[in-house]
């Protein structure tokens, strides 16, 4: 009965008879603003081997001491559903909303997502002129400059920031800092 050649899997989360295609999901989690809550929420993702592509946290209701965590992750749909269900059961969590699924249910293309990026580019001559031209096209603001560098501030969808950074790479890209995704569902209803 016990075959030593057959080893049981290390985790039941990875037992799936079918191979599901990974999907990207943006989750909004409303939590009490207290020590340890973020670690507990994020622990659910790491415990299942899921990477967090973007994470933002901020207190949104000061009087009630509530914070909003926005998480962008990628994984099998059934495991993301399990994560949402388990997040709902953590005591300091008030609400979990899958902004991607909510948008899909209403026929929208996705939630409203924005990210802030601060990008440093060093260069002179034609590269400097081209960096300024591209910044204008992408509506990036110059927030610091000298004769040999610029620091640009840009906001938009993450894909817009990705494109801007890729175009700045050959022009003297030095450093990139990004905030992570902030997202809201479309329509008049709140979370």
């Amino acid at each position: 009965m016990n075959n030593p050649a057959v080893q049981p899997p290390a985790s039941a989360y990875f037992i799936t008879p079918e191979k599901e295609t990974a999907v990207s999901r943006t989750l909004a989690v409303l939590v009490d603003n207290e020590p340890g809550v973020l670690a507990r929420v994020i622990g659910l993702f790491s415990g299942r081997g899921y990477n967090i592509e973007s994470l933002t946290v901020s207190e949104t209701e000061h009087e009630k001491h509530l914070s909003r965590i926005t998480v962008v992750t990628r994984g099998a749909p059934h495991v993301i559903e399990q994560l949402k269900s388990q997040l709902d059961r953590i005591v300091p969590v008030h609400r979990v909303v899958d902004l991607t699924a909510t948008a899909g249910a209403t026929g929208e293309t996705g939630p409203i997502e924005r990210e802030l990026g601060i990008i440093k580019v060093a260069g002179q001559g034609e590269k400097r002129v081209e960096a300024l031209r591209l910044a204008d096209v992408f509506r990036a603001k110059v927030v610091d400059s000298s004769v040999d560098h610029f620091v640009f501030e840009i906001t938009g969808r993450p894909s817009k920031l990705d494109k801007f950074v890729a175009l700045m790479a050959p022009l003297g890209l030095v450093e990139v800092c990004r905030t992570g995704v902030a997202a809201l569902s479309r329509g008049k209803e709140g979370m």
Side-chain angles (χ1 to χ4, degrees), residues 117-124 127-128 130-132 134-135 140 148-154 160-178:
I118 303 172
I119 293 109
K120 186 183 293 184
V121 179
Q124 295 182 353
K127 288 185 176 184
R128 182 176 174 83
E130 182 65 8
L132 276 175
L134 287 170
D148 61 355
H149 86 281
F150 289 110
V151 175
F152 297 107
E153 175 186 296
I154 183 171
K160 176 183 175 182
L161 274 69
D162 292 341
K163 290 175 188 170
F164 185 72
V165 168
L167 289 171
M168 289 295 154
L171 301 177
L173 181 68
V174 174
E175 190 173 2
V176 176
C177 180
R178 294 172 70 160

Side-chain angles (χ1 to χ4, degrees), residues 4-135:
V6 177
Q7 296 292 321
S11 172
Y13 290 104
F14 300 107
I15 298 175
T16 55
E18 72 286 345
K19 294 288 182 190
E20 288 186 281
T21 303
V23 294
S24 180
R25 294 295 174 102
T26 302
L27 306 176
V29 185
L30 192 62
V31 299
D32 287 336
N33 187 12
E34 60 185 46
V37 174
L38 179 62
R40 291 172 68 190
V41 168
I42 301 316
L44 285 175
F45 289 86
S46 63
R48 280 140 194 84
Y50 278 89
N51 185 40
I52 293 174
E53 295 175 4
S54 174
L55 173 68
T56 59
V57 184
S58 182
E59 187 174 61
T60 55
E61 297 184 39
H62 299 296
E63 291 86 28
K64 295 180 183 178
H65 300 289
L66 295 177
S67 290
R68 181 180 176 127
I69 301 171
T70 304
V71 180
V72 178
T73 190
R74 176 174 292 281
H78 80 280
V79 178
I80 290 177
E81 288 302 316
Q82 289 175 350
L83 283 169
K84 287 174 13 188
S85 171
Q86 291 171 346
L87 282 169
D88 262 333
R89 289 192 288 254
I90 296 176
V91 173
V93 172
H94 293 274
R95 185 118 194 258
V96 179
V97 177
D98 184 338
L99 298 174
T100 308
T102 302
T106 60
E108 301 290 341
T109 57
I112 298 168
E113 296 180 338
R114 294 295 181 265
E115 185 174 7
L116 168 71
I118 303 172
I119 293 109
K120 186 183 293 184
V121 179
Q124 295 182 353
E126 285 301 312
K127 288 185 176 184
R128 182 176 174 83
V129 172
E130 182 65 8
L132 276 175
R133 188 187 70 72
L134 287 170

